[in-house]
Amino acid sequence: MNNRHNRGPLRRAALAAGAGAGLLMWRGWRAHCRPPQVPHGFRAAPLVRIGADAIPVLGVVSRLHNVVTRPVEMVHDAARVHGSVFTLRVPTRFDLTYLTDRAAYDQVLALPAEHAMMGPVFGNVPTVGFWFPRRHSDHDSLQDLALTGKRIMAGLLAPHRVADLPPLTETVITAHIAGWGQTVDLAEAFPRAIYEISGRYFAGDEFWDSYGARITPLLRAIADGIEVPRATLAVTPARWFMREYRATKRLAAILQEAAEVMPACLLFQSIRAAGVAAEDVAWMAMYVLWNAVTYPGSYGLWTLLDVVSRPQVYRTAMSSDDPVTYLSWCLWETIRLNPVSSLVRALSKPFTYEKDGVAYHLPAGTIVGVAPSLLNQDPDVWKHPGHYRPERFAELNNPRRALFGSGPFGCVAGEFSRLLVAEVCVRILRSAEIRLLDGLPNRQCRVHLAYPDRPIPVARMPIGA
């Protein structure tokens, strides 16, 4: 999860690709000045023009910079000025309209997949969208594949299978811990263990024994690349220099080979049983594995860091009669305080929303987003929302609404992730006393997750020493 950029070639390619930036900014500014057209009786969401955003041309540069470097803070700033409905105009790309209150969160995420679509969003994500080979190249088929992937994962997450997760976790994490020394970099060691456990669970031991060591660094490189600047470079000739592009091509070749060599393994059996075309089997294997390892790997790492960096939480976790449940609450609290930056959908037809007696009209083609980070700081729902307080979940019956999304594209692996992360953290904390040697790293908030900005060395000492 470290961000190791190949800066020289990428910088040169980015400069070459930016030769027409002046024209794009001019067009973006002209679009910024045109008032949106709405039916009688409705309003358009107000355009965000904060600080430098309001300056012609320069405002375009400021906005693009905010989208790239501070997506969460940008939304929070806009909400303070405009309230819960506003539009960020991303020049040359799209209008991104945020509806940030809880009623909108439920309504937007509950929209049918054919109305509020993810295909156009996935189509701009390296690997999932435009790099990994598949039978068709349009957005609708991409969305259909993604929805099929969720059904495949849901089938693999049946309760009787999830019940087998604790013994698998114990076997794998024990082997990993045995290879750790007195000092270990958690930024590398923790995700590697999570990847193996989740990979064995979803793909089977035969697959992971043959391919796990080869695909783990490729999946890591791809996950590191899901951020705005690199996704932008991905559509330019700079992609030839990008590690995630090369990782994608290697992963595609490996998974295609695996599909031919071991068609009877658990993962490929599940994919073919779902009716996936032969040309899309490797894509589907990538999609299942990418979702299965990336999110638990990131949130699991931050959960462990949040625990060991807070003495009271650490002591409670170590002394709890039910540490799995307590560490599950820690996972949920970590997600609450560090959610994905936004959940967005592409509207295939208009959507209307009423707030405080005002009816807003969002035309087809708008990207509509909800902001979990704002909802998860709502003091009407969360007492002392800025505090890390895992015990709050003992009082809540349904944390899923705020933490895992909902609707046709909601997370299907909430219970799996809860059990996986909690079981791994229990075994690490019981294996030795963990002490951070260089403090906590900064959290780099990218499009979908937070990443540490450097290695995380920790000392492991016998408990009680």
Side-chain angles (χ1 to χ4, degrees):
M1 298 194 180
N2 296 324
N3 190 15
R4 299 178 288 273
H5 287 212
N6 188 354
R7 296 186 182 276
L10 283 179
R11 186 181 292 114
R12 291 192 293 273
L15 290 172
L23 178 60
L24 292 179
M25 286 189 293
W26 171 250
R27 289 175 177 170
W29 176 63
R30 290 181 64 192
H32 175 92
C33 294
R34 287 196 295 269
Q37 301 298 312
V38 298
H40 178 71
F42 291 90
R43 289 188 193 175
L47 289 175
V48 174
R49 294 173 177 170
I50 302 173
D53 263 3
I55 303 173
V57 180
L58 178 61
V60 176
V61 179
S62 172
R63 201 171 315 123
L64 288 172
H65 181 265
N66 285 334
V67 169
V68 167
T69 62
R70 50 191 302 272
V72 174
E73 294 90 342
M74 174 183 65
V75 172
H76 286 217
D77 290 345
R80 281 191 290 270
V81 173
H82 294 286
S84 60
V85 181
F86 52 86
T87 291
L88 294 165
R89 178 149 286 170
V90 183
T92 77
R93 298 293 288 171
F94 47 74
D95 282 354
L96 174 52
T97 297
Y98 275 95
L99 309 174
T100 65
D101 65 342
R102 192 160 297 278
Y105 181 90
D106 292 336
Q107 289 181 37
V108 169
L109 297 188
L111 288 172
E114 62 272 15
H115 184 179
M117 307 176 68
M118 281 298 290
V121 178
F122 287 141
N124 285 288
V125 177
T127 299
V128 176
F130 49 78
W131 282 346
F132 206 99
R134 54 192 174 93
R135 182 172 49 158
H136 301 297
S137 60
D138 61 290
H139 289 162
D140 288 348
S141 64
L142 181 59
Q143 175 164 297
D144 289 343
L145 281 174
L147 289 170
T148 300
K150 285 190 172 295
R151 290 194 294 271
I152 292 171
M153 292 188 71
L156 292 169
L157 290 166
H160 73 278
R161 292 205 71 244
V162 175
D164 294 332
L165 182 60
L168 171 63
T169 300
E170 181 176 11
T171 298
V172 174
I173 193 63
T174 299
H176 278 260
I177 290 173
W180 294 355
Q182 290 183 331
T183 302
V184 63
D185 176 12
L186 284 181
E188 288 295 328
F190 187 97
R192 194 179 300 122
I194 288 278
Y195 276 38
E196 179 173 350
I197 298 165
S198 196
R200 289 186 182 277
Y201 178 93
F202 281 96
D205 290 334
E206 180 189 11
F207 174 91
W208 201 261
D209 288 342
S210 298
Y211 296 103
R214 294 166 62 187
I215 68 173
T216 292
L218 304 179
L219 289 166
R220 289 286 304 280
I222 292 164
D224 281 352
I226 308 300
E227 60 176 352
V228 173
R230 299 185 72 81
T232 301
L233 286 173
V235 298
T236 75
R239 67 182 180 274
W240 298 103
F241 301 98
M242 298 173 74
R243 65 186 183 279
E244 56 266 37
Y245 177 83
R246 297 191 297 271
T248 299
K249 294 303 181 182
R250 290 198 294 272
L251 182 62
I254 290 172
L255 291 179
Q256 187 59 51
E257 172 194 312
E260 296 169 359
V261 170
M262 52 178 62
C265 88
L266 175 65
L267 179 59
F268 296 121
Q269 277 189 334
S270 300
I271 291 172
R272 291 192 172 92
V276 176
E279 302 94 321
D280 292 327
V281 168
W283 184 96
M284 189 62 71
M286 173 278 299
Y287 184 72
V288 170
L289 289 169
W290 184 62
N291 281 284
V293 303
T294 303
Y295 293 91
S298 176
Y299 278 125
L301 172 63
W302 287 114
T303 298
L304 182 63
L305 293 177
D306 283 337
V307 170
V308 300
S309 63
R310 292 172 168 83
Q312 180 58 48
V313 175
Y314 195 172
R315 287 193 294 270
T316 302
M318 294 296 290
S319 61
S320 173
D321 293 333
D322 186 0
V324 170
T325 294
Y326 183 77
L327 288 165
S328 299
W329 297 343
C330 293
L331 168 65
W332 290 339
E333 187 73 336
T334 294
I335 296 175
R336 183 185 70 83
L337 290 170
N338 303 277
V340 293
S341 59
S342 60
L343 297 171
V344 299
R345 305 288 187 263
L347 295 178
S348 62
K349 55 185 179 181
F351 174 70
T352 59
Y353 181 70
E354 185 171 332
K355 175 67 176 175
D356 297 330
V358 178
Y360 294 94
H361 177 86
L362 282 62
T366 299
I367 306 294
V368 60
V370 295
S373 59
L374 284 169
L375 297 180
N376 293 351
Q377 295 288 335
D378 183 353
D380 292 335
V381 177
W382 312 96
K383 187 177 180 180
H384 304 302
H387 295 175
Y388 191 90
R389 183 172 167 264
E391 293 81 5
R392 72 174 78 244
F393 289 98
E395 306 159 8
L396 296 175
N397 294 323
N398 183 19
R400 287 187 55 84
R401 288 177 67 244
L403 305 181
F404 296 104
S406 59
F409 299 105
C411 176
V412 299
E415 174 61 15
F416 169 84
S417 297
R418 179 195 74 82
L419 193 56
L420 170 61
V421 170
E423 291 280 355
V424 169
C425 288
V426 164
R427 283 163 176 76
I428 291 176
L429 294 174
R430 285 180 171 173
S431 70
E433 184 176 347
I434 306 294
R435 294 181 183 175
L436 292 164
L437 294 177
D438 197 20
L440 284 173
N442 294 320
R443 302 186 195 225
Q444 296 179 326
C445 182
R446 303 185 191 159
V447 173
H448 70 322
L449 289 172
Y451 297 80
D453 65 345
R454 56 175 171 78
I456 312 170
V458 299
R460 299 178 64 253
M461 295 161 288
I463 292 176

mmCIF file of all heavy atoms in Angstrom, residues 181-187 304-305 308-309 314 433-441 454-461:
data_model
loop_
_atom_site.group_PDB
_atom_site.id
_atom_site.type_symbol
_atom_site.label_atom_id
_atom_site.label_comp_id
_atom_site.label_asym_id
_atom_site.label_seq_id
_atom_site.Cartn_x
_atom_site.Cartn_y
_atom_site.Cartn_z
ATOM 1 N N GLY A 181 10.358 -10.992 12.194
ATOM 2 C CA GLY A 181 11.416 -10.835 13.175
ATOM 3 C C GLY A 181 10.970 -9.952 14.326
ATOM 4 O O GLY A 181 9.779 -9.681 14.513
ATOM 5 N N GLN A 182 11.931 -9.484 15.104
ATOM 6 C CA GLN A 182 11.610 -8.585 16.209
ATOM 7 C C GLN A 182 11.131 -7.229 15.699
ATOM 8 O O GLN A 182 10.433 -6.503 16.403
ATOM 9 C CB GLN A 182 12.833 -8.400 17.114
ATOM 10 C CG GLN A 182 13.194 -9.649 17.910
ATOM 11 C CD GLN A 182 14.355 -9.405 18.848
ATOM 12 O OE1 GLN A 182 15.219 -8.561 18.590
ATOM 13 N NE2 GLN A 182 14.392 -10.156 19.943
ATOM 14 N N THR A 183 11.533 -6.887 14.477
ATOM 15 C CA THR A 183 11.055 -5.667 13.830
ATOM 16 C C THR A 183 10.429 -6.049 12.493
ATOM 17 O O THR A 183 10.985 -6.862 11.748
ATOM 18 C CB THR A 183 12.206 -4.669 13.592
ATOM 19 O OG1 THR A 183 12.827 -4.358 14.838
ATOM 20 C CG2 THR A 183 11.693 -3.390 12.945
ATOM 21 N N VAL A 184 9.270 -5.480 12.197
ATOM 22 C CA VAL A 184 8.574 -5.814 10.956
ATOM 23 C C VAL A 184 7.880 -4.566 10.432
ATOM 24 O O VAL A 184 7.421 -3.720 11.212
ATOM 25 C CB VAL A 184 7.559 -6.961 11.189
ATOM 26 C CG1 VAL A 184 6.476 -6.541 12.162
ATOM 27 C CG2 VAL A 184 6.944 -7.410 9.881
ATOM 28 N N ASP A 185 7.824 -4.431 9.122
ATOM 29 C CA ASP A 185 7.109 -3.332 8.479
ATOM 30 C C ASP A 185 5.667 -3.771 8.251
ATOM 31 O O ASP A 185 5.381 -4.568 7.359
ATOM 32 C CB ASP A 185 7.783 -2.968 7.157
ATOM 33 C CG ASP A 185 7.024 -1.882 6.381
ATOM 34 O OD1 ASP A 185 6.116 -1.254 6.967
ATOM 35 O OD2 ASP A 185 7.349 -1.676 5.196
ATOM 36 N N LEU A 186 4.750 -3.237 9.047
ATOM 37 C CA LEU A 186 3.351 -3.643 8.935
ATOM 38 C C LEU A 186 2.729 -3.228 7.607
ATOM 39 O O LEU A 186 1.783 -3.866 7.147
ATOM 40 C CB LEU A 186 2.536 -3.058 10.087
ATOM 41 C CG LEU A 186 2.687 -3.719 11.454
ATOM 42 C CD1 LEU A 186 1.791 -3.034 12.471
ATOM 43 C CD2 LEU A 186 2.370 -5.210 11.388
ATOM 44 N N ALA A 187 3.235 -2.171 6.993
ATOM 45 C CA ALA A 187 2.674 -1.738 5.706
ATOM 46 C C ALA A 187 2.847 -2.805 4.637
ATOM 47 O O ALA A 187 2.072 -2.869 3.686
ATOM 48 C CB ALA A 187 3.337 -0.434 5.253
ATOM 49 N N LEU A 304 -5.612 -2.144 12.967
ATOM 50 C CA LEU A 304 -4.533 -2.548 13.877
ATOM 51 C C LEU A 304 -3.752 -1.332 14.358
ATOM 52 O O LEU A 304 -3.420 -1.218 15.552
ATOM 53 C CB LEU A 304 -3.599 -3.538 13.169
ATOM 54 C CG LEU A 304 -2.454 -4.094 14.017
ATOM 55 C CD1 LEU A 304 -2.990 -4.901 15.200
ATOM 56 C CD2 LEU A 304 -1.523 -4.965 13.168
ATOM 57 N N LEU A 305 -3.467 -0.392 13.463
ATOM 58 C CA LEU A 305 -2.724 0.813 13.858
ATOM 59 C C LEU A 305 -3.543 1.666 14.815
ATOM 60 O O LEU A 305 -2.997 2.239 15.773
ATOM 61 C CB LEU A 305 -2.341 1.619 12.619
ATOM 62 C CG LEU A 305 -1.338 0.966 11.674
ATOM 63 C CD1 LEU A 305 -1.108 1.842 10.443
ATOM 64 C CD2 LEU A 305 -0.012 0.697 12.382
ATOM 65 N N VAL A 308 -3.214 -0.142 18.316
ATOM 66 C CA VAL A 308 -1.924 -0.110 19.019
ATOM 67 C C VAL A 308 -1.467 1.309 19.323
ATOM 68 O O VAL A 308 -0.615 1.511 20.201
ATOM 69 C CB VAL A 308 -0.833 -0.869 18.226
ATOM 70 C CG1 VAL A 308 -1.219 -2.329 18.033
ATOM 71 C CG2 VAL A 308 -0.544 -0.195 16.895
ATOM 72 N N SER A 309 -2.008 2.304 18.634
ATOM 73 C CA SER A 309 -1.610 3.689 18.890
ATOM 74 C C SER A 309 -2.450 4.349 19.974
ATOM 75 O O SER A 309 -2.193 5.495 20.344
ATOM 76 C CB SER A 309 -1.706 4.511 17.603
ATOM 77 O OG SER A 309 -3.041 4.583 17.137
ATOM 78 N N TYR A 314 -5.964 -0.443 23.213
ATOM 79 C CA TYR A 314 -5.067 -1.602 23.193
ATOM 80 C C TYR A 314 -5.312 -2.481 24.416
ATOM 81 O O TYR A 314 -5.480 -3.703 24.321
ATOM 82 C CB TYR A 314 -3.633 -1.100 23.147
ATOM 83 C CG TYR A 314 -2.571 -2.113 22.772
ATOM 84 C CD1 TYR A 314 -1.263 -1.707 22.543
ATOM 85 C CD2 TYR A 314 -2.845 -3.478 22.645
ATOM 86 C CE1 TYR A 314 -0.272 -2.614 22.195
ATOM 87 C CE2 TYR A 314 -1.861 -4.390 22.304
ATOM 88 C CZ TYR A 314 -0.578 -3.952 22.085
ATOM 89 O OH TYR A 314 0.406 -4.851 21.748
ATOM 90 N N GLU A 433 3.835 -8.102 22.046
ATOM 91 C CA GLU A 433 3.480 -6.702 22.258
ATOM 92 C C GLU A 433 3.978 -5.898 21.062
ATOM 93 O O GLU A 433 5.131 -6.031 20.637
ATOM 94 C CB GLU A 433 4.105 -6.175 23.551
ATOM 95 C CG GLU A 433 3.684 -4.751 23.879
ATOM 96 C CD GLU A 433 4.242 -4.281 25.208
ATOM 97 O OE1 GLU A 433 4.731 -5.134 25.975
ATOM 98 O OE2 GLU A 433 4.196 -3.058 25.467
ATOM 99 N N ILE A 434 3.115 -5.055 20.512
ATOM 100 C CA ILE A 434 3.432 -4.289 19.309
ATOM 101 C C ILE A 434 3.681 -2.839 19.697
ATOM 102 O O ILE A 434 2.824 -2.192 20.333
ATOM 103 C CB ILE A 434 2.273 -4.350 18.283
ATOM 104 C CG1 ILE A 434 1.908 -5.793 17.974
ATOM 105 C CG2 ILE A 434 2.628 -3.582 17.024
ATOM 106 C CD1 ILE A 434 2.979 -6.572 17.272
ATOM 107 N N ARG A 435 4.844 -2.303 19.316
ATOM 108 C CA ARG A 435 5.158 -0.902 19.589
ATOM 109 C C ARG A 435 5.593 -0.216 18.294
ATOM 110 O O ARG A 435 6.493 -0.700 17.599
ATOM 111 C CB ARG A 435 6.264 -0.786 20.631
ATOM 112 C CG ARG A 435 5.855 -1.288 22.013
ATOM 113 C CD ARG A 435 6.982 -1.118 23.023
ATOM 114 N NE ARG A 435 6.628 -1.670 24.330
ATOM 115 C CZ ARG A 435 7.463 -1.748 25.368
ATOM 116 N NH1 ARG A 435 8.715 -1.301 25.234
ATOM 117 N NH2 ARG A 435 7.058 -2.266 26.519
ATOM 118 N N LEU A 436 4.956 0.897 18.002
ATOM 119 C CA LEU A 436 5.337 1.668 16.820
ATOM 120 C C LEU A 436 6.698 2.302 17.045
ATOM 121 O O LEU A 436 6.946 2.935 18.082
ATOM 122 C CB LEU A 436 4.297 2.754 16.544
ATOM 123 C CG LEU A 436 2.914 2.271 16.082
ATOM 124 C CD1 LEU A 436 1.883 3.385 16.230
ATOM 125 C CD2 LEU A 436 2.981 1.808 14.638
ATOM 126 N N LEU A 437 7.598 2.163 16.085
ATOM 127 C CA LEU A 437 8.945 2.716 16.216
ATOM 128 C C LEU A 437 9.069 4.113 15.649
ATOM 129 O O LEU A 437 9.970 4.861 16.019
ATOM 130 C CB LEU A 437 9.951 1.789 15.517
ATOM 131 C CG LEU A 437 10.119 0.413 16.134
ATOM 132 C CD1 LEU A 437 11.095 -0.417 15.306
ATOM 133 C CD2 LEU A 437 10.605 0.522 17.575
ATOM 134 N N ASP A 438 8.181 4.481 14.741
ATOM 135 C CA ASP A 438 8.311 5.770 14.066
ATOM 136 C C ASP A 438 6.983 6.509 14.015
ATOM 137 O O ASP A 438 6.735 7.286 13.096
ATOM 138 C CB ASP A 438 8.846 5.540 12.647
ATOM 139 C CG ASP A 438 9.397 6.818 12.028
ATOM 140 O OD1 ASP A 438 9.711 7.747 12.787
ATOM 141 O OD2 ASP A 438 9.496 6.883 10.790
ATOM 142 N N GLY A 439 6.115 6.266 14.980
ATOM 143 C CA GLY A 439 4.833 6.942 15.008
ATOM 144 C C GLY A 439 3.907 6.479 13.892
ATOM 145 O O GLY A 439 4.226 5.584 13.114
ATOM 146 N N LEU A 440 2.749 7.105 13.835
ATOM 147 C CA LEU A 440 1.781 6.759 12.807
ATOM 148 C C LEU A 440 2.113 7.460 11.495
ATOM 149 O O LEU A 440 2.510 8.631 11.498
ATOM 150 C CB LEU A 440 0.374 7.174 13.250
ATOM 151 C CG LEU A 440 -0.315 6.292 14.289
ATOM 152 C CD1 LEU A 440 -1.620 6.950 14.742
ATOM 153 C CD2 LEU A 440 -0.590 4.906 13.710
ATOM 154 N N PRO A 441 1.944 6.767 10.379
ATOM 155 C CA PRO A 441 2.141 7.439 9.088
ATOM 156 C C PRO A 441 0.963 8.352 8.793
ATOM 157 O O PRO A 441 -0.104 8.254 9.412
ATOM 158 C CB PRO A 441 2.181 6.267 8.102
ATOM 159 C CG PRO A 441 1.291 5.236 8.739
ATOM 160 C CD PRO A 441 1.512 5.374 10.221
ATOM 161 N N ARG A 454 4.284 5.994 4.068
ATOM 162 C CA ARG A 454 5.644 5.493 4.283
ATOM 163 C C ARG A 454 5.569 4.134 4.956
ATOM 164 O O ARG A 454 4.492 3.701 5.365
ATOM 165 C CB ARG A 454 6.444 6.471 5.144
ATOM 166 C CG ARG A 454 5.785 6.769 6.492
ATOM 167 C CD ARG A 454 6.659 7.642 7.371
ATOM 168 N NE ARG A 454 5.982 8.107 8.561
ATOM 169 C CZ ARG A 454 5.776 7.378 9.654
ATOM 170 N NH1 ARG A 454 6.208 6.114 9.696
ATOM 171 N NH2 ARG A 454 5.164 7.877 10.707
ATOM 172 N N PRO A 455 6.712 3.439 5.093
ATOM 173 C CA PRO A 455 6.719 2.169 5.847
ATOM 174 C C PRO A 455 6.297 2.385 7.298
ATOM 175 O O PRO A 455 6.355 3.494 7.833
ATOM 176 C CB PRO A 455 8.177 1.716 5.750
ATOM 177 C CG PRO A 455 8.697 2.376 4.513
ATOM 178 C CD PRO A 455 8.000 3.713 4.441
ATOM 179 N N ILE A 456 5.856 1.296 7.934
ATOM 180 C CA ILE A 456 5.387 1.365 9.329
ATOM 181 C C ILE A 456 6.159 0.342 10.159
ATOM 182 O O ILE A 456 5.666 -0.773 10.445
ATOM 183 C CB ILE A 456 3.876 1.091 9.418
ATOM 184 C CG1 ILE A 456 3.105 1.927 8.390
ATOM 185 C CG2 ILE A 456 3.364 1.387 10.831
ATOM 186 C CD1 ILE A 456 1.656 1.518 8.257
ATOM 187 N N PRO A 457 7.386 0.659 10.569
ATOM 188 C CA PRO A 457 8.148 -0.314 11.368
ATOM 189 C C PRO A 457 7.607 -0.410 12.788
ATOM 190 O O PRO A 457 7.282 0.598 13.417
ATOM 191 C CB PRO A 457 9.569 0.286 11.367
ATOM 192 C CG PRO A 457 9.359 1.761 11.176
ATOM 193 C CD PRO A 457 8.141 1.894 10.306
ATOM 194 N N VAL A 458 7.475 -1.647 13.266
ATOM 195 C CA VAL A 458 7.054 -1.869 14.651
ATOM 196 C C VAL A 458 8.005 -2.868 15.290
ATOM 197 O O VAL A 458 8.612 -3.707 14.606
ATOM 198 C CB VAL A 458 5.607 -2.409 14.748
ATOM 199 C CG1 VAL A 458 4.618 -1.427 14.147
ATOM 200 C CG2 VAL A 458 5.477 -3.769 14.099
ATOM 201 N N ALA A 459 8.140 -2.733 16.595
ATOM 202 C CA ALA A 459 8.908 -3.701 17.383
ATOM 203 C C ALA A 459 7.954 -4.701 17.992
ATOM 204 O O ALA A 459 6.884 -4.340 18.476
ATOM 205 C CB ALA A 459 9.709 -2.994 18.467
ATOM 206 N N ARG A 460 8.361 -5.973 17.962
ATOM 207 C CA ARG A 460 7.566 -7.041 18.534
ATOM 208 C C ARG A 460 8.341 -7.632 19.715
ATOM 209 O O ARG A 460 9.442 -8.156 19.548
ATOM 210 C CB ARG A 460 7.275 -8.119 17.489
ATOM 211 C CG ARG A 460 6.503 -7.607 16.304
ATOM 212 C CD ARG A 460 6.289 -8.709 15.268
ATOM 213 N NE ARG A 460 5.462 -9.792 15.795
ATOM 214 C CZ ARG A 460 5.909 -10.993 16.125
ATOM 215 N NH1 ARG A 460 7.206 -11.284 15.977
ATOM 216 N NH2 ARG A 460 5.100 -11.924 16.591
ATOM 217 N N MET A 461 7.754 -7.508 20.896
ATOM 218 C CA MET A 461 8.428 -7.981 22.107
ATOM 219 C C MET A 461 7.523 -8.958 22.849
ATOM 220 O O MET A 461 6.291 -8.849 22.736
ATOM 221 C CB MET A 461 8.769 -6.795 23.003
ATOM 222 C CG MET A 461 9.791 -5.841 22.364
ATOM 223 S SD MET A 461 9.767 -4.232 23.164
ATOM 224 C CE MET A 461 8.207 -3.581 22.549
#
